[in-house]
Amino acid sequence: MAAIADEEETVGESGPQFAWMPEGCEAMADGEYDAIVMGTGLKECILSGLLSTMGRKVLHVDRNNYYGGDSASLNLSNLYGKFNGGAEPAPQFFEALGANRDYNVDLIPKCIMACGKLVKMLLHTKVTRYLEFKSLDASYVYRNGKVFKVPATASEALSSSLLGLFEKRRFRKFLMYVAKYDATKSETWDGLDLGRTTMQALYEHFGLEKATREFVGHAMALQLDDTYLEAPAAPAVEAIKLYCYSLDRYGKSPYIYPMYGLGGLPEGFSRLCAIHGGTFMLNRSVDEVLYDDEGKAWGVRGDNQVAKADIILGDPSYFPGKCRKTGRVVRSICFLNHPIPNTNHADSLQIIIPAAQVQRHHDIYVVMVSNSHQVAAPGKYVAICSTTVETDDPGAELAPALNLLGPIMTKFDDLVDLYEPANLDEADHAFVSKSFDATSHFETTSTDVLDIYKRVTGSALNLDINADSTKGDY
């Protein structure tokens, strides 16, 4: 009888009353949930949407009065205010750039691999019904101070100015091998077991030059550093296959980008959660995550309101005692009145500057979007440069990217700390996402979401869905 009494709920003048409620507190919303999600960044919104479609009762809170967190898309006034202590821009600011209504500037722009994990999650949940996408015009790589379009097909390899005559033929053979490779069919391996053969050995097998390996690994396989060279080749080859397949799917580049900015992604997953019964509370601060005597998270408190759940999930800012700092990212949001030079007048693109090209340990990334994706006024372009900080002068580390842009009308610089959970112990019922890294794509973001989902639910999310489809599967 005592166990039953512990879970008993009554209704008082101030709402539901629970035996577990701390003295002097009242219920936050309904009080009891299966999962409480803190922060409306993209990762958190994807997870709350997925949990809600499983029938979980979800409470989703955010200290901000808008959706998206670091994944938000801002108009000019909000963007200016964010970097200037809430101040309003002068009239000349709008005269130069255009009206507020023309802008949806992403704080952390990332391209979506057209047939990658995030697209499969969008299709799986049917969130695609709330969004419209358009492919980026091109994907470029930096070499010797210039940018070159990344060749990703056998025909492009033969025409690319990035490669010498003999290297074109070697690279073409490499791409043809990758295209036919199937991990389940040994007859496609040509005697190479990619589960054991390293990527370095595979490159050497095809005689690819160091510069070719550089752009293949960083601009196609999207590797974050060169440690992949000594690892089995299979994962990198699958990543290259995905890049090539996505390019073949959309023609111009392997990447797509939402119309009106990335802010639509967290909003779409939030809508999914709400449709399935989720409760949202914006402008709702969380003062602390509550733990029992065994160190297990059981609820959250904001002011004198408390909610309880078996699963407590959020971004690092809600778990200051459970995260460790892993580094810093510097970003520069630049406004242009012209396309980036030497990119064939592209309205949208990605540029990856491999670390070795500029004597660094981490790559530098550029994403540029414009009115073609309805994120800027006609004739204006927004280029965001980013990298992982390595020195005491973060701004100078972006110089190789900024030098590619041509004249810059104005820019906003941002320096943020990166955090990740200090441990991955599911026993404490607290699940923390990682900060958004410097990459210009969503592959690492998707991996983090899938990892948290598996740890929360105990099973992997089924992504066996054709990324060419337009229908979800739940």
Side-chain angles (χ1 to χ4, degrees), residues 339-352:
I340 294 177
N342 305 310
T343 60
N344 198 29
H345 304 287
D347 287 327
S348 57
L349 55 77
Q350 175 191 243
I351 302 172
I352 293 180

Side-chain angles (χ1 to χ4, degrees), residues 291 295-298 310 312 322 423 425-431:
Y291 297 87
K296 294 180 179 179
W298 65 267
D310 290 331
I312 311 295
K322 288 183 63 65
N423 66 74
D425 183 12
E426 294 89 350
D428 65 4
H429 294 195
F431 302 87

Side-chain angles (χ1 to χ4, degrees), residues 231-296:
V237 167
E238 292 295 344
I240 297 168
K241 283 176 67 71
L242 175 62
Y243 184 101
C244 296
Y245 179 70
S246 297
L247 176 66
D248 184 62
R249 174 77 170 82
Y250 283 88
K252 293 182 178 180
S253 84
Y255 299 107
I256 57 175
Y257 205 86
M259 300 293 288
Y260 308 101
L262 294 173
L265 290 173
E267 290 177 7
F269 282 102
S270 296
R271 184 174 179 181
L272 174 72
C273 181
I275 288 173
H276 286 82
T279 299
F280 281 79
M281 299 181 72
L282 297 181
N283 209 23
R284 168 72 274 178
S285 63
V286 173
D287 297 317
E288 63 175 329
V289 176
L290 303 172
Y291 297 87
D292 63 20
D293 294 339
E294 297 179 352
K296 294 180 179 179

Side-chain angles (χ1 to χ4, degrees), residues 145-407:
K146 299 179 181 179
V147 292
F148 299 85
K149 188 177 185 300
V150 178
T153 65
S155 59
E156 283 190 348
L158 292 177
S159 61
S160 174
S161 58
L162 187 61
L163 305 168
L165 177 61
F166 296 110
E167 185 68 357
K168 287 179 179 180
R169 295 174 180 174
R170 290 188 288 265
F171 183 54
R172 180 176 181 273
K173 289 181 180 179
F174 173 77
L175 286 181
M176 293 174 67
Y177 172 80
V178 169
K180 74 172 184 177
Y181 174 80
D182 186 332
T184 64
K185 298 178 180 179
S186 59
E187 62 269 22
T188 67
W189 300 357
D190 288 358
L192 298 170
D193 181 357
L194 300 193
R196 302 178 64 181
T197 303
T198 67
M199 197 64 193
Q200 178 77 19
L202 184 63
Y203 286 147
E204 291 173 354
H205 177 79
F206 285 93
L208 297 184
E209 298 173 352
K210 180 180 178 181
T212 305
R213 303 176 192 186
E214 196 173 84
F215 83 74
V216 170
H218 292 259
M220 296 179 70
L222 303 180
Q223 299 299 308
L224 303 182
D225 53 43
D226 286 337
T227 56
Y228 82 101
L229 291 170
E230 301 306 322
V237 167
E238 292 295 344
I240 297 168
K241 283 176 67 71
L242 175 62
Y243 184 101
C244 296
Y245 179 70
S246 297
L247 176 66
D248 184 62
R249 174 77 170 82
Y250 283 88
K252 293 182 178 180
S253 84
Y255 299 107
I256 57 175
Y257 205 86
M259 300 293 288
Y260 308 101
L262 294 173
L265 290 173
E267 290 177 7
F269 282 102
S270 296
R271 184 174 179 181
L272 174 72
C273 181
I275 288 173
H276 286 82
T279 299
F280 281 79
M281 299 181 72
L282 297 181
N283 209 23
R284 168 72 274 178
S285 63
V286 173
D287 297 317
E288 63 175 329
V289 176
L290 303 172
Y291 297 87
D292 63 20
D293 294 339
E294 297 179 352
K296 294 180 179 179
W298 65 267
V300 300
R301 181 185 66 81
D303 298 323
N304 71 327
Q305 294 187 343
V306 175
K308 179 182 180 182
D310 290 331
I311 299 167
I312 311 295
L313 190 158
D315 69 51
S317 68
Y318 291 92
F319 295 92
K322 288 183 63 65
C323 299
R324 61 168 172 256
K325 182 178 174 180
T326 59
R328 295 187 298 170
V329 168
V330 59
R331 297 184 178 91
S332 187
I333 302 173
C334 305
F335 290 82
L336 315 175
N337 58 6
H338 56 82
I340 294 177
N342 305 310
T343 60
N344 198 29
H345 304 287
D347 287 327
S348 57
L349 55 77
Q350 175 191 243
I351 302 172
I352 293 180
I353 303 177
Q357 284 288 316
V358 285
Q359 292 75 55
R360 289 175 50 81
H361 299 293
H362 298 89
D363 295 347
I364 304 174
Y365 303 89
V366 180
V367 173
M368 187 199 73
V369 284
S370 64
N371 184 254
S372 66
H373 282 85
Q374 298 297 301
V375 300
K380 301 298 186 293
Y381 303 79
V382 182
I384 299 91
C385 309
S386 61
T387 193
T388 301
V389 174
E390 298 179 1
T391 71
D392 294 331
D393 189 2
E397 297 185 46
L398 290 177
L402 296 174
N403 291 339
L404 296 174
L405 303 185

Side-chain angles (χ1 to χ4, degrees), residues 33-61:
Y33 293 87
D34 296 317
I36 298 173
V37 180
M38 298 176 291
T40 55
L42 178 59
K43 296 180 183 182
E44 290 69 38
C45 288
I46 292 175
L47 289 162
S48 71
L50 290 170
L51 290 172
S52 69
T53 62
M54 297 171 63
R56 305 287 181 93
K57 185 179 180 181
V58 177
L59 171 65
H60 202 148
V61 300

